[in-house]
Amino acid sequence: MTDIRRRKQDHIDLARQPSHQMSMDSEFEHVRFEHIALPELDLQSIDMTCTFLGQYCKSPVIIGAMTGGCDEGEAINRHLAEAAEYCMIPMALGSQRAAIELNLQQNARRWAPNAILLGNLGATQLAKGGLTLAQSAIETISANALIIHLNPLQELAQPSGDHNWTGVLRAIEICCLKLDVPIIVKEVGAGIGPTAARSLIDAGVRYIETAGCGGTNWASIELARNPSSREREIMQPFLTWGMRTFDLLPPLSDISGIDEAIDLQVIGSGGIRHGLDVARSIRLGASMVAMAQPFLEPAIRSSEDVIEKINIINEQLRRAMFLTGSANLDALSQAKLEPRG
Ligand SMILES: Cc1cc2nc3c(=O)[nH]c(=O)nc-3n(C[C@H](O)[C@H](O)[C@H](O)COP(=O)(O)O)c2cc1C
């Protein structure tokens, strides 16, 4: 197995373990809706549909970016893609770098001919590979948008991680200027805060995925793989580093409210674990909500299991909307929160 394939397989194995989920409270529990005892709604008529990247989605849930480029990754991606197609929700691919470098077949578009597919590259890889790499990531899967992930904390914890982050913003800016599809920028679990968001907006980015902490802990996963005891000691204090999705959503979604010239779409992610968290994220300002790790176990098993997971999440969202008296996602975004005594 090549080094990249070994690393991807380790990521899958470790991400399944509860010890690599942030033990600290994601704080989503603190978003408490006012319970509407008189919903005046028929549960089944609640409208959870939305548009994303100009295309219809059955619900605002995105299958978050997970891995490819290893043997198990191929089956995982197939199950996720088939489920995205069936459920009419978008799917983000994991980093395509390994597949591009190893010249592997990328079949996501074949499995999901009509779904919204989001390509994916790491920011430091983009800074090295430039537009050619970005175009290849988009073309191989006919991507509707390209995700660029920022992961400086993960790279610091990773054996032989990339420590040179110069030129990343310029590479993103060039992609915004030259590519035909929108650019989405995300973290991988440490969060994108207002300062980084401002720089991204100035570079032309109009889609930001928070990927805050509270869920999968990439510092912890990489340290478990890191053979250097010195590196493990250095990084120990950073195991809980990062900003929570709960704290990031309001300031990021306020950016558009304050400056109407900026039409920024914020995707909530990082530690979202069920449909009630999806509802909470929409209330905090997200227009779409992505989950990664919750889909991993079902994706290892089958497409049907991923579909069932999506159905359960959708049903939880529908019930949250019912209990908040929200007939559609617009109403949910303004639903009343519990009065504080
Ligand atoms: C097994 C696995 C592999 C991942 N690989 C990628 C990746 O290649 N690119 C990326 O942008 N994010 C990747 N992520 C990060 C997720 O997209 C997400 O931002 C992060 O895990 C936090 O969300 P969660 O708490 O819902 O898992 C991966 C996550 C998991 C669980």
Side-chain angles (χ1 to χ4, degrees), residues 15 65-67 94-95 120 149 186 188 211 215-216 218 270-271 273 292-293:
M66 284 196 277
T67 193
S95 172
N120 187 304
H149 67 264
K186 74 187 275 285
V188 299
T216 308
W218 283 96
R273 289 297 172 261
Q293 201 270 355

Side-chain angles (χ1 to χ4, degrees), residues 65 120-123 147-155 165 185-192 209-219 221-222 269-271 292:
N120 187 304
L121 287 173
I147 291 182
I148 296 164
H149 67 264
L150 309 176
N151 62 341
L153 173 69
Q154 181 187 10
E155 294 286 345
W165 277 70
V185 179
K186 74 187 275 285
E187 235 283 345
V188 299
I192 294 184
E209 182 182 328
T210 55
C213 68
T216 308
N217 185 340
W218 283 96
I221 289 177
E222 295 297 358
S269 76

Side-chain angles (χ1 to χ4, degrees), residues 123 126-128 130-131 148 167-177:
L126 178 79
K128 289 177 202 135
L131 271 182
I148 296 164
V168 165
L169 187 62
R170 179 68 187 143
I172 293 174
E173 187 174 24
I174 291 171
C175 285
C176 291
L177 283 170

